[in-house]
Amino acid sequence: MADTVDDAELVLKIMKNNTSNPTIQARACEKLSNIAVRESQGLVHLGTIEVLVKAMEKFPKNANVQEFACQLAWNLAVIDEHKQLLADKGVLELLCLAMDNHKSKISVLHKAIGAIKLLSLIDKAKEQLVNDGAIEKIVEVMQNYAKEESDTAEFQETCLDCIQNFAFGKTLAPRLYDLGVSSLILDVMKKYEEAEDIQSSGCAALWNVALGITEENLIELTELGATNRLIYALKTQSENQRVVLHAMGALKNHSRVSESIGLIKEKAKNSDMDISNVYDIIMQAYYAHQEDNNIRRIGEELLSEFDDEDDDEVSTAEAKQVGTLTINQTEAQIRDPFADLEATAGGDDDMDDY
């Protein structure tokens, strides 16, 4: 029906002339969301956000309208300047309301959380989402769908990316931890342990959560099996650069507590995941991607910490002692968590502070 911005003008006119027809509103939102993939900027200039808001407000209980309206919001939010516009027009509250009204509709939930994932990248929107209970809603959704047949890796990946964003910056990590999000992350990683994107997103979420919680919480998280899951991801996904980076970063944050190293080794040794030789697993992943400056630096730190025999094969002379690690989030990294990491983190020099 509509493929370009010119066609979108007709769609918007139809929506405005049929505000009481939910079928037309849903189909129009779907068409506009497809156009937004290519022509997001043009759609906003036509007043798409205002029409989107009216449709969501008019039909809060209609799953089709909410699904495609959330999808449209998700696609529009890809552009940084649109994020604040969506927030200012009241879309954040409507996304949370859609989650409340359609708890049994995974298609609505997925697209609402997808939009929240991108909108949570701006501080003001993140604060409002937190006040609207978005964190608790997402955790509840993950809990409810973990064992459902309708659950998919793509859905859980979106949830993990959302958790990753909320945990970034330390402030909300303790709240997420207290809600039991760490167990949920580990359950999803176990359920989809062959899915590379899940492993990448799960490790990244653990990376940010581990940065903001207490040393006591870190010990608890290790006892829960978090480090075993990270080491297993390093072993089974050693060829995937994103997984290696995120797993190493999360493992480094877990090892920042002095007594953690021995516990991590002990847990790995007693695991049934065949990960007893932590040093060798790290070494294999390190050599597979040592051309990457971030992986090389983190890897050298980990190899130094986990070397039982003080092996000097890998020199750490150039690696400065670092404390905690973090992922410098950008909207682009949510679509591709590894893309532009060095550029957004400031390159090699700034990695001293990660």
Side-chain angles (χ1 to χ4, degrees):
M1 176 181 175
D3 298 310
T4 67
V5 172
D6 290 337
D7 294 320
E9 291 189 59
L10 175 60
V11 175
L12 288 168
K13 183 177 180 180
I14 293 172
M15 290 184 74
K16 292 174 182 178
N17 291 336
N18 294 273
T19 57
S20 298
N21 189 321
T23 301
I24 289 177
Q25 297 296 308
R27 290 184 62 191
C29 284
E30 182 181 15
K31 295 298 184 182
L32 291 171
S33 70
N34 293 333
I35 298 173
V37 174
R38 303 177 299 277
E39 303 283 356
S40 182
Q41 196 79 44
L43 286 184
V44 170
H45 290 156
L46 291 174
T48 299
I49 295 177
E50 290 79 3
V51 175
L52 161 69
V53 168
K54 289 180 180 179
M56 294 186 77
E57 290 177 338
K58 180 75 173 178
F59 301 104
K61 297 297 182 70
N62 187 292
N64 289 333
V65 171
Q66 295 300 313
E67 175 184 349
F68 294 117
C70 290
Q71 179 177 303
L72 176 54
W74 187 354
N75 289 344
L76 291 174
V78 169
I79 305 298
D80 284 340
E81 63 187 80
H82 295 171
K83 293 179 175 64
Q84 193 60 59
L85 290 173
L86 288 161
D88 291 342
K89 296 294 183 180
V91 172
L92 303 178
E93 183 179 355
L94 291 170
L95 291 169
C96 291
L97 182 61
M99 293 182 67
D100 285 337
N101 287 335
H102 302 280
K103 293 182 178 181
S104 63
K105 295 287 186 178
I106 194 170
S107 58
V108 176
L109 295 170
H110 188 183
K111 287 160 186 174
I113 293 171
I116 290 171
K117 174 185 74 171
L118 295 185
L119 292 167
S120 64
L121 288 169
I122 56 175
D123 291 339
K124 185 177 179 181
K126 180 190 284 189
E127 181 179 353
Q128 183 179 334
L129 285 165
V130 171
N131 292 336
D132 288 341
I135 290 178
E136 288 76 10
K137 296 180 196 301
I138 293 166
V139 170
E140 180 185 3
V141 166
M142 292 181 72
Q143 291 171 333
N144 291 343
Y145 278 88
K147 297 180 180 180
E148 291 289 331
E149 291 185 4
S150 58
D151 183 45
T152 66
E154 291 80 8
F155 172 65
Q156 291 293 348
E157 180 190 351
T158 302
C159 293
L160 291 174
D161 287 340
C162 222
I163 295 299
Q164 176 189 349
N165 288 352
F166 280 112
F168 178 71
K170 299 183 182 180
T171 304
L172 295 173
R175 181 170 175 176
L176 287 161
Y177 184 82
D178 290 341
L179 287 170
V181 74
S182 301
S183 296
L184 293 174
I185 295 170
L186 297 176
D187 288 344
V188 172
M189 291 179 71
K190 181 178 180 180
K191 181 176 181 178
Y192 298 105
E193 59 185 19
E194 295 184 4
E196 295 181 355
D197 289 340
I198 285 285
Q199 299 306 307
S200 176
S201 295
C203 290
L206 288 173
W207 184 344
N208 284 345
V209 170
L211 177 61
I213 58 178
T214 66
E215 293 186 358
E216 182 180 354
N217 291 154
L218 279 174
I219 298 296
E220 293 173 349
L221 200 46
T222 299
E223 291 283 7
L224 189 63
T227 53
N228 279 357
R229 183 54 57 184
L230 293 168
I231 295 165
Y232 186 75
L234 274 178
K235 176 184 176 181
T236 58
Q237 305 286 344
S238 62
E239 297 302 315
N240 186 300
Q241 200 166 11
R242 289 182 302 153
V243 175
V244 168
L245 175 63
H246 295 161
M248 282 187 172
L251 188 60
K252 177 60 186 169
N253 273 355
H254 280 78
S255 68
R256 65 184 166 91
V257 182
S258 57
E259 59 266 38
S260 286
I261 304 296
L263 179 60
I264 291 171
K265 290 178 179 179
E266 179 185 351
K267 295 292 290 184
K269 183 178 180 180
N270 295 328
S271 170
D272 59 0
M273 302 165 76
D274 192 21
I275 54 171
S276 59
N277 199 332
V278 179
Y279 181 89
D280 286 350
I281 292 172
I282 297 171
M283 176 74 79
Q284 181 178 354
Y286 168 85
Y287 275 125
H289 305 286
Q290 61 178 321
E291 75 284 352
D292 178 80
N293 292 332
N294 302 324
I295 289 177
R296 185 175 67 251
R297 182 170 300 221
I298 301 171
E300 287 174 350
E301 286 293 321
L302 289 172
L303 288 169
S304 176
E305 292 173 346
F306 286 91
D307 185 4
D308 291 324
E309 300 177 0
D310 295 323
D311 195 335
D312 293 328
E313 283 187 52
V314 177
S315 172
T316 58
E318 297 179 355
K320 299 177 182 179
Q321 277 302 115
V322 296
T324 54
L325 309 172
T326 187
I327 298 176
N328 188 7
Q329 293 284 319
T330 67
E331 176 271 326
Q333 285 175 299
I334 298 307
R335 297 196 305 274
D336 181 356
F338 184 75
D340 301 323
L341 182 82
E342 282 190 32
T344 56
D348 284 349
D349 294 338
D350 284 356
M351 289 301 287
D352 292 341
D353 297 322
Y354 64 107

